[in-house]
Amino acid sequence: MPAVSPLAPASFPELPAIAGMRLATAEAGIRYRGRTDVLLACFDKGTSVAGVLTRSRCPSAPVEWCRARLAGGSARALVVNSGNANAFTGKSGREATKLTAALAAQALGCRAGEVFLASTGVIGEPLDAGKFASVMDRMVAQAEPSPWLDAAKAIMTTDTFPKVATATARLGSAQVRINGIAKGAGMIAPDMATMLAFVFTDAPIAASALQALISRGVVDTFNAVTIDGDTSTSDTLLAFATGAAPGAPAIARAGDRRLGEFRAALDTVLSNLSEQIARDGEGARKLVEICVDGAVSKRSARRIALSIANSPLVKTAIAGEDANWGRVVMAVGKAGEPADRDRLSIWFGDIRVAHKGARDPAYDEAAVAALMKKPEIKMRVALGLGRGSDRVLTCDLTKEYVTINGDYRS
Amino acid sequence: MPAVSPLAPASFPELPAIAGMRLATAEAGIRYRGRTDVLLACFDKGTSVAGVLTRSRCPSAPVEWCRARLAGGSARALVVNSGNANAFTGKSGREATKLTAALAAQALGCRAGEVFLASTGVIGEPLDAGKFASVMDRMVAQAEPSPWLDAAKAIMTTDTFPKVATATARLGSAQVRINGIAKGAGMIAPDMATMLAFVFTDAPIAASALQALISRGVVDTFNAVTIDGDTSTSDTLLAFATGAAPGAPAIARAGDRRLGEFRAALDTVLSNLSEQIARDGEGARKLVEICVDGAVSKRSARRIALSIANSPLVKTAIAGEDANWGRVVMAVGKAGEPADRDRLSIWFGDIRVAHKGARDPAYDEAAVAALMKKPEIKMRVALGLGRGSDRVLTCDLTKEYVTINGDYRS
């Protein structure tokens, strides 16, 4: 097991119970020994569900299962396993999802279409879903409101720490809660197939409204994080709203003005979890924030920021604590977006290193060198063309990344 | 200095003289000590020129110089320096190109607009072109027909070996020659600003025809090689045709039927040089050929092949000698091109490891493991959708890549 990432949060927040749901974990022995590898979340009747799933053309079987069932809008259970992604497993993969959902439905007395699934781990190995049979009834019987850290641990793969986040918001005259858990150590390590995040709230929000909230919510959070530019076959974000918060008004539309505080709290949870994924990037030693402004649009700024964030040469320079702004120029130039070399300025932290198409004559190499030694690096690129801006998070590319990903299967 | 790449060719071919041109190299002391860092090629009157230049939005000053002068179509000199890319150098960069061209024009008695330039090395440092003044007259005086290997050495930066190639072709009743030299060790190391290639022939080919030939020629050669997906600010391919081959017919159009053999020979030179760049990829220990077929179009096959070739997870798996086909599935899935998971098959060498959306039950892990230990790895992806196919070359992503690119400036 790798040591805990040096960028890990100092402590974990305590997550409160969410009315209308319970959690349980178990050791089903899918791949790992001596640790939990399956999570069950049980929801009371009336729980709505929404989801954002990978855009990969080669999605895992559970991703296809969820995509087909999200239209139903209601959930009674979530079953997540680690150790096997049930991806690229053909017909047997589809059968494994069916069996898993049937087992949970039987144990809970609900319809299989109200059971949501996610799997993370090795690609291409058949998943023996029969192993869930021996633990399902016990998990239903033992499920409790608050083992949140246990839940986050059961879904870990190459993660070096469990990822949890929580926030509260006023909704009408009620206080509602939002909890989230996630796994992912690499925007993707597709072998370990990858980024899973689950958000739970007791707010009574209709499925269509919840869908609109999370679809917008991922844009500047999960979709603005990249470890290696590799997109998983299994990326899944599911949100569940039990509606059990006492006194909260039922919300039918995402445009409802009463959602202001809730939306902000939801964004906080998504943003917190996605930052933790960047902090646990495989081999990462530096958290890197890349801000682009002056682009012709936000979309253009995003593409330029991702071109920088995914450049192996930028990422290795950061690993080497080298303020190599020439590589940033290269990454801006190759992004295929409008850019004018002679208007371009670049900052590392607060130090402007390049200005209007040339090295900033005033910058102090020693000051920049000191800044590059810090664990968190902020980089800003000003294009000077328009008003489009954006921000993405990434990490450095270290020899440990190569080690982790060169040695994993063997 | 790094050791010579284990993928380097066993020996260098001897390049013949090209009638109508001469070469000289010198130590101008731009950045390196104790080695040559400037190359001059002098051409007789009547030499035509064509070029393909980086699409970066932040191109170097020499790239802009060449782009503006290619329309003229005639060349009397090429000046290339290593050690400084003259990129992101603002007004001083433009002045350095002017001065370099003026010095060469004066020494040769030609117009500055007939002098072509390329620079490779550090980005963002002003280039002191005055240093060329002390060596230019001597280079003109000492230029000779055949110091090809010296020419290739003078333009190296992080390259571990000089890159030369040669071919001959029948044109009408004459035999014509094509020589090429290149540098690049990384599709790009923009710090070292990057891929330069120069091709010289004694065939009498008009500039517009030469342009059409190389524009088509790069598609499946230089543009089908990727080391790290990073595109340089300085990528330059220039072709010069002196027309001095005795008895060769003047060719005005690229569609001329007499060009058949010449086109094949030119493609051989471009292909040979571009493969050498992949073989000298920074830190490379494996040459990787990725073939995609059954795509909806060649363009789609190219994008999928590049998605695989640029995936850090695929490249680290190859470095780890792991036939991790799950990562290939991931890279196909993320390419954004039509793909049907359940029709997908994948081969490493001749061994089919995945078939129709699942692991091939027949494949022998030991045989694949043995194959992955070889220095040259071939990977084939069959999409089963259409007739589009393509091929790209890349290399593995090793800890040495991280070392080279993390430590370079410091």
Side-chain angles (χ1 to χ4, degrees):
Chain A
M1 285 293 289
V4 173
S5 166
L7 305 169
S11 65
F12 302 110
E14 194 147 332
L15 272 57
I18 299 279
M21 66 170 291
R22 292 155 312 287
L23 298 164
T25 59
E27 297 183 23
I30 296 300
R31 181 183 175 94
Y32 308 121
R33 297 283 169 257
R35 58 156 277 190
T36 57
D37 58 2
V38 56
L39 162 66
L40 172 72
C42 314
F43 307 106
D44 290 352
K45 281 184 189 169
T47 295
S48 61
V49 60
V52 178
L53 301 162
T54 183
R55 277 182 285 213
S56 171
R57 297 294 191 118
C58 301
S60 69
V63 164
E64 292 197 323
W65 173 274
C66 289
R67 210 187 307 275
R69 270 120 203 121
L70 278 169
S74 81
R76 291 296 307 283
L78 166 69
V79 182
V80 187
N81 74 274
S82 56
N84 186 313
N86 193 13
F88 218 63
T89 41
K91 192 166 166 247
S92 87
R94 287 187 286 276
E95 282 165 2
T97 56
K98 262 191 215 172
L99 177 57
T100 310
L103 288 167
Q106 190 176 24
L108 277 161
C110 69
R111 287 184 296 109
E114 295 172 305
V115 178
F116 287 78
L117 305 174
S119 295
T120 176
V122 176
I123 284 184
E125 298 283 338
L127 171 65
D128 181 3
K131 291 190 172 172
F132 299 132
S134 61
V135 295
M136 198 64 81
D137 285 337
R138 187 160 43 81
M139 284 202 290
V140 170
Q142 296 177 348
E144 293 192 32
S146 291
W148 289 99
L149 208 57
D150 291 342
K153 284 177 181 169
I155 65 174
M156 286 167 61
T157 54
T158 54
D159 303 65
T160 71
F161 60 86
K163 298 165 185 70
V164 297
T166 185
T168 58
R170 185 153 293 278
L171 185 62
S173 59
Q175 191 81 0
V176 298
R177 292 166 172 176
I178 308 175
N179 285 352
I181 64 173
K183 64 86 44 175
M187 175 60 173
I188 261 126
D191 216 13
M192 300 302 286
T194 300
M195 200 292 290
L196 303 181
F198 307 102
V199 172
F200 311 89
T201 179
D202 53 2
I205 299 181
S208 62
L210 193 60
Q211 184 64 52
L213 288 172
I214 63 166
S215 293
R216 225 194 55 174
V218 297
V219 174
D220 290 326
T221 57
F222 286 107
N223 285 352
V225 172
T226 177
I227 301 304
D228 46 24
D230 278 344
T231 301
S232 164
T233 55
S234 307
D235 289 339
T236 297
L237 165 66
L238 293 172
F240 301 88
T242 66
I251 302 293
R253 296 180 314 102
D256 194 310
R257 284 162 180 264
R258 291 171 293 183
L259 278 178
E261 234 186 79
F262 182 88
R263 189 184 287 118
L266 177 65
D267 286 350
T268 299
V269 169
L270 297 178
S271 168
N272 186 322
L273 291 175
S274 61
E275 181 176 319
Q276 289 188 60
I277 285 176
R279 286 179 177 277
D280 206 6
E282 290 170 331
R285 293 289 173 271
K286 310 268 187 195
L287 179 69
V288 184
E289 180 182 8
I290 296 166
C291 299
V292 172
D293 58 62
V296 296
S297 65
K298 177 183 166 74
R299 183 190 165 91
S300 181
R302 169 68 57 97
R303 288 193 177 170
I304 290 168
L306 284 175
S307 178
I308 299 166
N310 285 325
S311 160
L313 290 167
V314 171
K315 296 165 86 81
T316 50
I318 294 168
E321 302 188 334
D322 178 9
N324 193 323
W325 58 268
R327 295 183 182 174
V328 179
V329 174
M330 175 283 299
V332 172
K334 77 164 181 165
E337 292 294 317
D340 179 342
R341 184 192 60 199
D342 298 334
R343 292 185 187 200
L344 196 61
S345 298
I346 299 169
W347 286 256
F348 282 86
D350 293 330
I351 305 171
R352 191 173 69 190
V353 293
H355 187 51
K356 296 195 174 175
R359 187 175 60 184
D360 190 326
Y363 98 82
D364 175 1
E365 184 83 33
V368 178
L371 189 143
M372 296 305 292
K373 297 198 182 302
K374 298 189 176 172
E376 302 187 11
I377 308 286
K378 185 170 173 174
M379 205 183 286
R380 180 185 158 212
V381 172
L383 295 163
L385 297 179
R387 302 176 73 171
S389 66
D390 203 17
R391 164 187 177 273
V392 306
L393 288 182
T394 189
C395 59
D396 54 346
L397 171 55
T398 63
K399 290 178 209 175
E400 288 70 33
Y401 177 90
V402 178
T403 303
I404 293 167
N405 287 298
D407 299 347
Y408 170 65
R409 276 203 348 166
S410 50
Chain B
M1 284 293 287
V4 173
S5 166
L7 305 170
S11 65
F12 302 110
E14 194 148 329
L15 271 58
I18 298 279
M21 65 170 292
R22 292 156 311 287
L23 300 164
T25 59
E27 297 183 24
I30 295 301
R31 180 183 175 95
Y32 309 120
R33 296 284 169 255
R35 59 158 276 191
T36 57
D37 58 2
V38 55
L39 163 67
L40 172 71
C42 314
F43 307 104
D44 289 352
K45 280 183 190 170
T47 295
S48 61
V49 60
V52 178
L53 302 161
T54 184
R55 278 182 285 213
S56 171
R57 297 293 191 119
C58 300
S60 68
V63 164
E64 292 198 322
W65 173 274
C66 289
R67 209 186 308 275
R69 270 117 203 126
L70 277 170
S74 79
R76 292 295 308 282
L78 165 69
V79 182
V80 188
N81 75 274
S82 56
N84 185 312
N86 193 13
F88 218 64
T89 41
K91 192 164 167 249
S92 87
R94 288 186 286 276
E95 283 164 2
T97 55
K98 261 191 215 172
L99 177 56
T100 309
L103 288 168
Q106 191 176 23
L108 278 161
C110 68
R111 287 182 299 110
E114 295 172 304
V115 178
F116 287 78
L117 305 174
S119 295
T120 176
V122 176
I123 284 183
E125 298 282 338
L127 170 66
D128 181 4
K131 291 190 172 172
F132 300 131
S134 61
V135 296
M136 199 65 80
D137 285 336
R138 187 159 43 81
M139 283 201 290
V140 170
Q142 296 178 349
E144 293 191 32
S146 291
W148 289 99
L149 207 58
D150 291 342
K153 284 177 181 168
I155 66 173
M156 285 167 62
T157 54
T158 54
D159 303 65
T160 71
F161 60 86
K163 297 166 186 69
V164 297
T166 186
T168 58
R170 185 154 291 279
L171 186 62
S173 58
Q175 190 82 359
V176 298
R177 293 167 172 175
I178 308 175
N179 285 352
I181 64 173
K183 64 86 45 175
M187 175 59 176
I188 263 122
D191 215 15
M192 299 303 286
T194 299
M195 201 292 292
L196 303 182
F198 308 102
V199 171
F200 311 89
T201 180
D202 52 3
I205 299 181
S208 61
L210 193 60
Q211 184 64 51
L213 288 173
I214 64 166
S215 293
R216 226 193 54 172
V218 296
V219 173
D220 290 325
T221 57
F222 286 107
N223 285 352
V225 172
T226 177
I227 301 305
D228 45 24
D230 277 344
T231 300
S232 164
T233 56
S234 306
D235 288 339
T236 296
L237 165 67
L238 293 172
F240 302 89
T242 66
I251 302 292
R253 295 179 315 102
D256 193 310
R257 283 162 181 266
R258 291 170 293 181
L259 277 178
E261 233 186 80
F262 182 87
R263 189 183 288 117
L266 177 65
D267 286 349
T268 299
V269 169
L270 297 178
S271 169
N272 186 322
L273 291 175
S274 61
E275 180 176 319
Q276 289 188 59
I277 285 176
R279 287 179 177 276
D280 206 6
E282 288 171 334
R285 292 290 173 269
K286 310 268 187 195
L287 179 69
V288 184
E289 180 181 8
I290 295 166
C291 298
V292 172
D293 59 62
V296 296
S297 64
K298 176 182 166 76
R299 182 191 166 90
S300 181
R302 170 67 57 95
R303 287 192 178 170
I304 290 168
L306 285 175
S307 178
I308 299 167
N310 284 325
S311 160
L313 290 168
V314 171
K315 295 164 86 82
T316 49
I318 294 169
E321 303 189 334
D322 178 8
N324 194 322
W325 57 268
R327 295 184 182 174
V328 179
V329 175
M330 174 285 300
V332 172
K334 77 163 182 165
E337 291 295 317
D340 179 342
R341 184 192 58 198
D342 298 335
R343 292 187 187 199
L344 196 59
S345 298
I346 300 169
W347 286 256
F348 282 86
D350 293 330
I351 305 171
R352 192 174 68 187
V353 292
H355 187 51
K356 295 196 174 172
R359 187 174 58 184
D360 190 326
Y363 98 81
D364 174 3
E365 184 83 32
V368 178
L371 189 144
M372 297 305 292
K373 296 198 182 302
K374 298 188 176 174
E376 302 188 9
I377 307 285
K378 184 170 173 174
M379 205 183 287
R380 179 185 158 211
V381 172
L383 295 164
L385 296 179
R387 303 176 71 171
S389 67
D390 204 18
R391 166 187 175 273
V392 306
L393 288 181
T394 188
C395 58
D396 54 346
L397 172 55
T398 63
K399 291 179 207 175
E400 289 69 31
Y401 177 91
V402 178
T403 303
I404 292 166
N405 287 300
D407 298 349
Y408 171 64
R409 274 202 350 165
S410 49

